[in-house]
PDB file of all heavy atoms in Angstrom:
ATOM      1  N   VAL A 335     115.815 103.153  68.754  1.00 92.00           N
ATOM      2  CA  VAL A 335     117.216 103.526  68.379  1.00 92.00           C
ATOM      3  C   VAL A 335     118.117 102.357  68.001  1.00 92.00           C
ATOM      4  O   VAL A 335     118.860 102.449  66.978  1.00 92.00           O
ATOM      5  CB  VAL A 335     117.781 104.391  69.509  1.00 92.00           C
ATOM      6  CG1 VAL A 335     119.290 104.780  69.217  1.00 92.00           C
ATOM      7  CG2 VAL A 335     117.021 105.654  69.632  1.00 92.00           C
ATOM      8  N   PRO A 336     118.069 101.181  68.727  1.00 90.00           N
ATOM      9  CA  PRO A 336     118.758 100.051  68.340  1.00 90.00           C
ATOM     10  C   PRO A 336     118.421  99.530  66.913  1.00 90.00           C
ATOM     11  O   PRO A 336     119.342  99.113  66.165  1.00 90.00           O
ATOM     12  CB  PRO A 336     118.516  98.922  69.382  1.00 90.00           C
ATOM     13  CG  PRO A 336     118.053  99.750  70.652  1.00 90.00           C
ATOM     14  CD  PRO A 336     117.335 100.917  70.092  1.00 90.00           C
ATOM     15  N   ILE A 337     117.220  99.651  66.583  1.00 90.00           N
ATOM     16  CA  ILE A 337     116.791  99.170  65.188  1.00 90.00           C
ATOM     17  C   ILE A 337     117.385 100.034  64.194  1.00 90.00           C
ATOM     18  O   ILE A 337     117.998  99.659  63.175  1.00 90.00           O
ATOM     19  CB  ILE A 337     115.193  99.133  65.117  1.00 90.00           C
ATOM     20  CG1 ILE A 337     114.603  98.188  66.066  1.00 90.00           C
ATOM     21  CG2 ILE A 337     114.898  98.825  63.595  1.00 90.00           C
ATOM     22  CD1 ILE A 337     113.055  98.028  65.933  1.00 90.00           C
ATOM     23  N   VAL A 338     117.303 101.403  64.468  1.00 91.00           N
ATOM     24  CA  VAL A 338     117.828 102.381  63.543  1.00 91.00           C
ATOM     25  C   VAL A 338     119.361 102.156  63.400  1.00 91.00           C
ATOM     26  O   VAL A 338     119.873 102.112  62.262  1.00 91.00           O
ATOM     27  CB  VAL A 338     117.560 103.849  64.024  1.00 91.00           C
ATOM     28  CG1 VAL A 338     118.374 104.852  63.185  1.00 91.00           C
ATOM     29  CG2 VAL A 338     116.146 104.071  64.127  1.00 91.00           C
ATOM     30  N   GLN A 339     119.996 101.885  64.578  1.00 89.00           N
ATOM     31  CA  GLN A 339     121.431 101.646  64.634  1.00 89.00           C
ATOM     32  C   GLN A 339     121.750 100.428  63.728  1.00 89.00           C
ATOM     33  O   GLN A 339     122.753 100.448  62.938  1.00 89.00           O
ATOM     34  CB  GLN A 339     121.761 101.369  66.082  1.00 89.00           C
ATOM     35  CG  GLN A 339     123.226 101.390  66.350  1.00 89.00           C
ATOM     36  CD  GLN A 339     123.886 102.786  66.151  1.00 89.00           C
ATOM     37  OE1 GLN A 339     123.211 103.776  66.350  1.00 89.00           O
ATOM     38  NE2 GLN A 339     125.135 102.724  65.732  1.00 89.00           N
ATOM     39  N   ALA A 340     121.029  99.385  63.883  1.00 87.00           N
ATOM     40  CA  ALA A 340     121.364  98.091  63.111  1.00 87.00           C
ATOM     41  C   ALA A 340     121.240  98.357  61.610  1.00 87.00           C
ATOM     42  O   ALA A 340     122.136  97.856  60.798  1.00 87.00           O
ATOM     43  CB  ALA A 340     120.372  97.054  63.554  1.00 87.00           C
ATOM     44  N   VAL A 341     120.187  99.083  61.208  1.00 88.00           N
ATOM     45  CA  VAL A 341     119.965  99.332  59.839  1.00 88.00           C
ATOM     46  C   VAL A 341     121.134 100.196  59.280  1.00 88.00           C
ATOM     47  O   VAL A 341     121.732  99.891  58.237  1.00 88.00           O
ATOM     48  CB  VAL A 341     118.591 100.104  59.608  1.00 88.00           C
ATOM     49  CG1 VAL A 341     118.482 100.676  58.104  1.00 88.00           C
ATOM     50  CG2 VAL A 341     117.464  99.092  59.835  1.00 88.00           C
ATOM     51  N   LEU A 342     121.469 101.250  60.064  1.00 87.00           N
ATOM     52  CA  LEU A 342     122.626 102.136  59.551  1.00 87.00           C
ATOM     53  C   LEU A 342     123.935 101.405  59.454  1.00 87.00           C
ATOM     54  O   LEU A 342     124.661 101.511  58.478  1.00 87.00           O
ATOM     55  CB  LEU A 342     122.735 103.390  60.494  1.00 87.00           C
ATOM     56  CG  LEU A 342     121.640 104.407  60.423  1.00 87.00           C
ATOM     57  CD1 LEU A 342     121.768 105.389  61.502  1.00 87.00           C
ATOM     58  CD2 LEU A 342     121.620 105.015  59.093  1.00 87.00           C
ATOM     59  N   ASP A 343     124.166 100.579  60.554  1.00 85.00           N
ATOM     60  CA  ASP A 343     125.441  99.813  60.484  1.00 85.00           C
ATOM     61  C   ASP A 343     125.487  98.882  59.293  1.00 85.00           C
ATOM     62  O   ASP A 343     126.504  98.853  58.559  1.00 85.00           O
ATOM     63  CB  ASP A 343     125.608  98.898  61.719  1.00 85.00           C
ATOM     64  CG  ASP A 343     125.895  99.805  62.965  1.00 85.00           C
ATOM     65  OD1 ASP A 343     126.226 100.958  62.778  1.00 85.00           O
ATOM     66  OD2 ASP A 343     125.753  99.214  64.100  1.00 85.00           O
ATOM     67  N   GLN A 344     124.418  98.235  58.952  1.00 82.00           N
ATOM     68  CA  GLN A 344     124.414  97.305  57.820  1.00 82.00           C
ATOM     69  C   GLN A 344     124.585  98.051  56.492  1.00 82.00           C
ATOM     70  O   GLN A 344     125.337  97.621  55.710  1.00 82.00           O
ATOM     71  CB  GLN A 344     123.054  96.572  57.869  1.00 82.00           C
ATOM     72  CG  GLN A 344     123.010  95.319  57.056  1.00 82.00           C
ATOM     73  CD  GLN A 344     124.184  94.362  57.453  1.00 82.00           C
ATOM     74  OE1 GLN A 344     124.457  94.179  58.576  1.00 82.00           O
ATOM     75  NE2 GLN A 344     124.862  93.807  56.434  1.00 82.00           N
ATOM     76  N   MET A 345     124.053  99.261  56.486  1.00 80.00           N
ATOM     77  CA  MET A 345     124.166 100.042  55.241  1.00 80.00           C
ATOM     78  C   MET A 345     125.670 100.431  55.094  1.00 80.00           C
ATOM     79  O   MET A 345     126.162 100.391  53.993  1.00 80.00           O
ATOM     80  CB  MET A 345     123.278 101.293  55.267  1.00 80.00           C
ATOM     81  CG  MET A 345     121.788 101.079  54.994  1.00 80.00           C
ATOM     82  SD  MET A 345     120.799 102.431  55.537  1.00 80.00           S
ATOM     83  CE  MET A 345     120.241 103.025  53.942  1.00 80.00           C
ATOM     84  N   ASP A 346     126.278 100.845  56.192  1.00 79.00           N
ATOM     85  CA  ASP A 346     127.647 101.203  56.124  1.00 79.00           C
ATOM     86  C   ASP A 346     128.445  99.964  55.705  1.00 79.00           C
ATOM     87  O   ASP A 346     129.428 100.162  54.801  1.00 79.00           O
ATOM     88  CB  ASP A 346     128.093 101.647  57.527  1.00 79.00           C
ATOM     89  CG  ASP A 346     127.725 103.042  57.797  1.00 79.00           C
ATOM     90  OD1 ASP A 346     126.978 103.627  56.898  1.00 79.00           O
ATOM     91  OD2 ASP A 346     128.016 103.659  58.838  1.00 79.00           O
TER      92      ASP A 346
END
Side-chain angles (χ1 to χ4, degrees):
V335 177
I337 296 179
V338 175
Q339 192 63 33
V341 169
L342 289 173
D343 286 349
Q344 198 52 45
M345 280 165 115
D346 281 4

